[in-house]
């Protein structure tokens, strides 16, 4: 398993991939990606992910949830229930009531994960401290904080709880993340692409095959070989998402 990747958070069911999905999948497997944790943004994608799993077999690991923001643009965009995390940015949750609504559903969904003995894949924009403290209060033992952008002290609280943190290719152009990545133990880091978003160029479609870029960047920051980062992050992903080995 030393020469494979696990993309712990991507949106392979997104409409941006519909036209050339077979080509995208081919590039993905050629890049050494063994598993795509296919995260949904709204319930309309659930069936699509299941169809992709049938088409591409063990490559696709379904991860169901609804993003705190609906995918609709314009005035119809609003906070939704349920969701896979918390988004306390002002344009998403401008009022205390909206933040409270998110919290209620977040706790409910954590309860579902505990009941099913499943890890959680969490969006925590501008809410890292609240997300981690809430998960610890709720007794969550398996969690991934995707595209983590919280403070180092908050991250260490997550490390103490046994949580993992993943970073997409966009981190390679964000010097603010260097200290965070350098200080986080590699044993608590996973790789993701969040494709089709968060690539090196925000104006270009990101793909799962770009996961090698973030692996190389983390290796550079930590002064390690890319092979070491690839091996350890894949082991981390398999420890967190235990069911992917059964796919």
């Amino acid at each position: 398993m030393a020469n494979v990747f696990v993309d712990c958070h991507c949106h392979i069911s997104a409409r941006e991939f519909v036209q050339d999905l077979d080509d995208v999948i081919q590039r993905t497997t050629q890049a050494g990606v063994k598993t795509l944790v296919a995260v949904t943004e709204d319930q309309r994608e659930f069936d699509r992910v299941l169809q992709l799993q049938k088409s591409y077999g063990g490559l696709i690991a379904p991860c169901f949830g609804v993003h705190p923001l609906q995918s609709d643009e314009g005035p119809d965009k609003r906070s939704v229930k349920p969701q896979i995390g918390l988004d306390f940015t002002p344009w998403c949750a401008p009022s205390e009531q909206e933040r409270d609504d998110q919290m209620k559903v977040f706790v409910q969904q954590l309860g579902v994960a505990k009941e099913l003995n499943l890890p959680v894949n969490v969006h925590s924009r501008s809410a890292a401290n609240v997300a981690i403290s809430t998960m610890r209060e709720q007794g969550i033992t398996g969690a991934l904080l995707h595209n983590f952008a919280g403070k180092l002290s908050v991250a260490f609280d997550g490390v103490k709880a046994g949580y993992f943190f993943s970073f997409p290719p966009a981190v390679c152009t964000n010097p603010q993340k260097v200290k965070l990545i350098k200080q986080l133990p590699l044993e608590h880091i996973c790789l993701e692409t969040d494709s089709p978003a968060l690539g090196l160029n925000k104006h270009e479609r990101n793909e799962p095959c770009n996961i090698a870029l973030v692996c190389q960047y983390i290796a550079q920051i930590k002064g390690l070989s890319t092979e070491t980062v690839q091996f350890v992050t894949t082991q981390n992903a398999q420890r967190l998402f235990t069911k992917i080995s059964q796919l």
Side-chain angles (χ1 to χ4, degrees):
M1 301 301 291
N3 297 317
V4 300
F5 292 108
V6 175
D7 187 343
C8 288
H9 190 107
C10 71
H11 300 274
I12 199 65
S13 59
R15 61 181 179 270
E16 287 88 345
F17 291 127
V18 170
Q19 296 298 322
D20 62 342
L21 183 58
D22 284 340
D23 292 337
V24 171
I25 293 297
Q26 182 177 8
R27 288 190 288 271
T28 295
T29 56
Q30 288 176 342
V33 180
K34 178 180 175 60
T35 306
L36 297 176
V37 179
V39 180
T40 61
E41 289 197 342
D42 62 56
Q43 63 183 9
R44 293 171 293 183
E45 291 183 83
F46 291 3
D47 287 342
R48 170 69 173 160
V49 168
L50 292 175
Q51 291 170 2
L52 293 177
Q53 187 183 37
K54 289 181 180 179
S55 298
Y56 299 106
L59 178 67
I60 307 295
C63 184
F64 296 128
V66 179
H67 195 278
L69 283 182
Q70 288 188 359
S71 58
D72 296 329
E73 297 295 334
D76 291 332
K77 177 171 275 193
R78 63 187 189 281
S79 297
V80 299
K81 304 183 271 293
Q83 69 242 328
I84 57 170
L86 303 172
D87 196 319
F88 286 179
T89 47
W91 55 88
C92 176
S95 70
E96 184 175 349
Q97 182 61 54
E98 288 177 290
R99 292 190 289 272
D100 288 344
D101 288 344
Q102 286 195 27
M103 281 295 300
K104 290 176 183 176
V105 181
F106 183 48
V107 170
Q108 289 175 343
Q109 191 141 320
L110 294 179
V112 173
K114 285 183 63 177
E115 182 178 346
L116 298 176
N117 193 29
L118 292 172
V120 291
N121 202 326
V122 179
H123 174 93
S124 59
R125 188 165 58 176
S126 298
N129 188 26
V130 176
I132 289 175
S133 62
T134 301
M135 289 191 294
R136 296 186 71 177
E137 291 168 2
Q138 297 299 316
I140 297 297
T141 56
L144 177 75
L145 283 298
H146 110 90
N147 189 30
F148 186 77
K151 295 180 180 179
L152 185 59
S153 59
V154 174
F156 282 147
D157 287 338
V159 168
K160 291 177 184 177
Y163 301 157
F164 295 86
F165 305 83
S166 60
F167 303 95
V171 75
C172 301
T173 59
N174 186 350
Q176 294 178 338
K177 297 283 184 72
V178 171
K179 182 179 179 180
L180 176 64
I181 292 173
K182 189 171 185 177
Q183 294 297 321
L184 272 177
L186 183 60
E187 291 73 22
H188 288 267
I189 293 177
C190 291
L191 306 180
E192 65 160 294
T193 62
D194 200 26
S195 51
L198 298 186
L200 288 182
N201 188 335
K202 66 180 180 179
H203 301 296
E204 296 179 0
R205 184 184 69 173
N206 188 20
E207 293 187 14
C209 63
N210 292 326
I211 197 166
L213 299 175
V214 68
C215 179
Q216 294 165 2
Y217 185 68
I218 290 173
Q220 177 185 341
I221 290 175
K222 288 187 166 293
L224 300 170
S225 68
T226 55
E227 291 80 10
T228 296
V229 173
Q230 183 178 23
F231 178 79
V232 175
T233 55
T234 295
Q235 292 292 307
N236 294 344
Q238 292 173 336
R239 281 194 291 128
L240 175 62
F241 299 110
T242 57
K243 294 184 182 295
I244 65 177
S245 61
Q246 303 169 15
L247 294 176

